[in-house]
Amino acid sequence: MSLQKEIGVVVVGLGMAGRARVRDLKEKTCGLRLKGVVSRRPVEDADVPALTFDEALNKPDVGAIFISTEPRLHEDYVKKSLESGKHVLVEYPLALSSATARKLHELAEQKGLVLYEENIGLLTEGFNVVKNKVKSVGIKSGQYTLKGSYNGWIEDFQASGLPFVTGISGIQNMLSLFGDVKVVNGKLEKSEDGYTTEADLEANGKPIKITLSRSKSKEEHRRKQTIYEFEDGEVIDSDKIPQTSSKPGLFMRDMEEFYAAILNGKVSDENKFLTIRGLEVAEEIHSFYSKG
């Protein structure tokens, strides 16, 4: 049996996703090995070294950086990590603009490194049920609705990007299923309580609707509904399809795909397409805001 190639990892950011990364890395179920964390928050686990970002970049046993911070910090952390010769796994969105995302991918390719944007929504049981059905039955329409409360940065458009940048997951879901899309309309409505933004897309005449709502109310828990209609008449709400197994979890499966990309020497064409085209679509949607 061949031995796994071990790659040292430092996790930057200890929010929900960062903590999940640390938890899964400690299980050592693939060749990724936790070497430390970078966080403004106190590191509660005595077995996990706390590092500065510069220390992480200069550690010779660190081959990859996981970036789990708010979006406005992604560009700087990704660029510095790549320039230091580290592979990068970054939470979506990779950057706040498609132009920046394209430049970061070009830098990764110049350096011979993997730049991988996560989207665990593409790994759920529900999404895969729909994607497998699309292979044999035509899909007629898609509708993605996400509601939730403010979180301290998502409502700050200047610092963290307009809604469809921070909410890029819905666009990427549709691109993965329908192929490329055309933006028909986009609108943003603000109120004292929060905002709602809608996008109308189409793919070869098939309608797609994406709605994102955020509220100042802490009572507004995160809720997502994704409904697809097929040519055979079936309607699937992919978010109601439960995960069949808790092991490996979504974050672990995502890390395994990142590890496989490193072994393969490059990120998949689909991952790169979803990253860059997703941001282009977001920008096209936002261009309608001033027309309303």
Side-chain angles (χ1 to χ4, degrees), residues 51-260:
L51 306 170
T52 67
F53 187 58
D54 286 341
E55 286 172 339
L57 296 183
N58 290 317
K59 275 180 70 66
D61 60 345
V62 171
I65 304 292
F66 285 6
I67 299 170
S68 298
T69 64
E70 58 266 37
R72 66 184 176 84
L73 301 175
H74 290 184
E75 177 184 351
D76 185 51
Y77 281 146
V78 170
K79 186 170 184 289
K80 288 179 178 176
S81 298
L82 293 172
E83 288 174 339
S84 297
K86 313 297 186 186
H87 301 289
V88 176
L89 182 155
V90 57
E91 285 186 25
Y92 67 79
L94 166 59
L96 300 187
S97 74
S98 61
T100 298
R102 194 174 289 105
K103 288 178 182 177
L104 291 172
H105 266 289
E106 288 171 357
L107 176 60
E109 289 162 11
Q110 290 166 9
K111 296 281 188 179
L113 297 166
V114 166
L115 173 55
Y116 175 97
E117 181 192 43
E118 68 88 6
N119 186 342
I120 60 173
L122 300 174
L123 299 175
T124 64
E125 190 74 22
F127 182 81
N128 283 302
V129 165
V130 172
K131 188 146 191 176
N132 286 332
K133 177 153 184 161
V134 167
K135 294 174 183 177
S136 57
V137 180
I139 187 169
K140 288 179 63 177
S141 66
Q143 184 174 322
Y144 178 101
T145 304
L146 176 66
K147 297 181 179 181
S149 62
Y150 283 179
N151 66 1
W153 55 260
I154 204 164
E155 64 272 21
D156 187 344
F157 297 163
Q158 181 127 13
S160 293
L162 285 166
F164 280 99
V165 170
T166 52
I168 199 77
S169 179
I171 295 174
Q172 291 186 352
N173 280 26
M174 298 305 171
L175 286 172
S176 183
L177 293 171
F178 288 84
D180 206 359
V181 300
K182 175 185 177 182
V183 179
V184 178
N185 194 23
K187 65 180 181 179
L188 172 67
E189 295 181 353
K190 293 183 179 180
S191 67
E192 291 184 1
D193 182 59
Y195 68 83
T196 295
T197 183
E198 297 179 348
D200 292 304
L201 316 174
E202 66 175 41
N204 297 317
K206 299 170 182 178
I208 300 166
K209 182 86 168 184
I210 304 178
T211 303
L212 308 175
S213 296
R214 291 287 178 173
S215 169
K216 295 177 183 177
S217 171
K218 298 300 180 183
E219 305 297 319
E220 183 66 70
H221 300 295
R222 190 178 187 277
R223 292 176 291 154
K224 183 161 74 77
Q225 184 179 55
T226 316
I227 298 174
Y228 303 100
E229 183 181 3
F230 289 86
E231 298 286 354
D232 64 0
E234 184 177 12
V235 176
I236 297 177
D237 182 345
S238 63
D239 294 299
K240 288 187 176 179
I241 298 174
Q243 293 295 107
T244 56
S245 173
S246 60
K247 294 284 185 176
L250 295 176
F251 284 103
M252 176 58 77
R253 288 173 56 195
D254 185 58
M255 291 194 297
E256 288 173 347
E257 292 203 3
F258 172 62
Y259 179 68

